[in-house]
Amino acid sequence: MYALSDASPAFVAAVKLRGVVSHTTAAAVHGFALWRTAPGLHVTVSSGRNRAPGVTVHRSRLAPADLDEDRPLTSPLRTVLDCGRTLQLGQSVVILESACLARLVDLRSVRAAASEARGAGAVALRQAVAWVDERSESSLESGLRMLVTLLGRVTTQAWVPGVGHVDIVLDGWLALEGDGFEFHSDRRAYREDRRRGNALVVGRHVLLRFTWEDVFLRPHYVLQVVTETLAAGPPWR
């Protein structure tokens, strides 16, 4: 039995419904990056008409391998598969790449499970898995790539002489960098960012930089800036 006295609301709801925490609620518990946190909780039950206010109840028979060992919670692999079936493409890919980056799921296992998936959401799951880029180094980079992927020819982790790897390069000249505060918060990182920016300009690149808030809270702003920059073209034409 699970003690409810100090458990989170998600686990309390799961135990009361005789189910397990699942989908994006489980993703948050596992520490996976989410594009946005929707209100309400997600719980999966094996059967019955269980309901509770503020809880989305999913019905599915779960094998022992689908469950966390110690908590009423879907395993990391089952969690990303559920999210891939039910979320929009960009949201699914961010969660999948976050889970792979944290080494909580193996991409080969995800691909194998997706290829065998049947039923509702199976096509969406396979599409999301096909979009996963193993070179992604952060959820911020994943989100930025998914936003701009249809705007031009995308190169991820592009190598630029004198600069190093750049998160994304569009059409060979527009460099996009996601600025996560944790990697740009000291004096050394600040100086290196300035050097890289200057080297990109010398190498005939235009640089645009976006924060976590830009990508996940103001995606229309990101799309507008990138679209207008691409339309203007490289300044040295």
Side-chain angles (χ1 to χ4, degrees):
M1 293 295 292
Y2 299 96
L4 298 184
S5 57
D6 57 352
S8 72
F11 289 126
V12 171
V15 172
K16 287 183 175 179
L17 290 169
R18 297 182 180 180
V20 297
V21 177
S22 64
H23 295 74
T24 52
T25 309
V29 173
H30 285 302
F32 302 158
L34 301 177
W35 195 295
R36 63 178 62 87
T37 303
L41 305 172
H42 290 264
V43 170
T44 293
V45 300
S46 61
S47 61
R49 298 178 178 271
N50 316 50
R51 293 181 181 178
V55 180
T56 299
V57 178
H58 306 266
R59 289 171 177 81
S60 178
R61 294 194 178 277
L62 300 173
D66 293 328
L67 302 174
D68 184 85
E69 293 182 358
D70 303 313
R71 298 169 292 178
L73 174 73
T74 50
S75 68
L77 177 59
R78 176 61 192 238
T79 298
V80 298
L81 296 176
D82 285 340
C83 290
R85 284 179 178 270
T86 57
L87 298 178
Q88 294 179 346
L89 179 62
Q91 295 172 305
S92 299
V93 172
V94 167
I95 290 174
L96 279 163
E97 292 186 355
S98 173
C100 291
L101 189 62
R103 299 185 183 280
L104 290 176
V105 300
D106 177 71
L107 185 55
R108 288 174 298 180
S109 299
V110 176
R111 285 172 173 159
S115 68
E116 297 174 359
R118 298 294 182 270
V123 173
L125 171 61
R126 282 191 281 274
Q127 184 181 27
V129 173
W131 276 93
V132 170
D133 189 334
E134 296 180 80
R135 293 166 295 185
S136 178
E137 295 186 343
S138 71
S139 58
L140 176 55
E141 182 184 328
S142 300
L144 180 58
R145 187 184 83 254
M146 293 308 295
L147 277 180
V148 305
T149 194
L150 298 180
L151 299 182
R153 188 178 73 257
V154 175
T155 304
T156 58
Q157 286 300 311
W159 176 262
V160 179
V163 178
H165 286 102
V166 176
D167 289 347
I168 297 167
V169 173
L170 279 175
D171 289 349
W173 63 272
L174 179 54
L176 308 179
E177 291 268 64
D179 279 349
F181 180 76
E182 65 271 25
F183 299 115
H184 302 269
S185 58
D186 60 30
R187 194 71 184 172
R188 184 200 61 78
Y190 177 84
R191 290 195 299 268
E192 176 62 8
D193 283 345
R194 307 287 82 71
R195 185 199 69 77
R196 282 166 50 87
N198 291 341
L200 279 166
V201 173
V202 171
R204 292 191 141 195
H205 287 79
V206 172
L207 172 63
L208 295 176
R209 304 174 70 166
F210 298 103
T211 66
W212 186 94
E213 289 80 7
D214 291 333
V215 171
F216 293 108
L217 301 181
R218 296 186 291 271
H220 293 295
Y221 161 73
V222 176
L223 288 171
Q224 178 183 356
V225 172
V226 173
T227 300
E228 291 180 357
T229 305
L230 286 172
W236 50 85
R237 302 187 289 194

